[in-house]
Amino acid sequence: MDLSHIHHVAIIGSDYERSKHFYVDVLGFEVIRENHREAQQDWKIDLRLQDVELELFIKADCPQRPGWPGKEAYGLRHLAFRVDSVEDTVRELNALGIETEPIRQDTFTGEKMTFFHDPDGLPLELHE
């Protein structure tokens, strides 16, 4: 088997403007390309953050995620970002009006971590 790294991660959002603003303007992803897919009645926005690609599909009629953290569904649990300082990144997010959970330590590694959410409630993690 020749698996060398993850090619991309795909996320479904419900609102084009809100999701694109969050991932591009707030989190700093670069738009690679945008395509409207008529047959699927959605938008596909390919994004990049350094060497990681994110496929952002915008489709308003998809079901919502189950509640967090109580009821989770099978599939992608959360997307985690490595940062130099969780405290600094939390301050920056909070200044932009994005709420974060309290900073805590990973039970097994002892590293600082916390969660915040995208506009559709997908949990996003900050981890040192």
Side-chain angles (χ1 to χ4, degrees), residues 77-95:
R77 185 172 188 190
H78 61 266
L79 183 61
F81 297 98
R82 180 166 300 282
V83 297
D84 290 330
S85 170
V86 169
E87 289 97 344
D88 291 347
T89 307
V90 162
R91 276 193 291 278
E92 291 175 36
L93 290 171
N94 293 163

Side-chain angles (χ1 to χ4, degrees), residues 9 11 23 65 68 72-73 75-81 104 106 113-117 121-127:
V9 175
I11 294 176
Y23 283 98
R65 288 179 58 88
W68 168 267
E72 294 184 76
L76 179 67
R77 185 172 188 190
H78 61 266
L79 183 61
F81 297 98
R104 58 186 186 267
D106 183 289
M113 58 172 287
T114 192
F115 285 91
F116 64 109
H117 295 86
L122 174 66
L124 303 173
E125 180 181 352
L126 301 175
H127 211 285

Side-chain angles (χ1 to χ4, degrees), residues 12-13 35-44 57-62:
I12 298 175
N35 294 290
H36 183 259
R37 303 183 320 158
E38 189 64 38
Q40 293 87 351
Q41 289 297 298
D42 69 2
W43 279 90
K44 179 178 181 277
F57 293 88
I58 307 298
K59 190 163 180 71
D61 62 353
C62 286

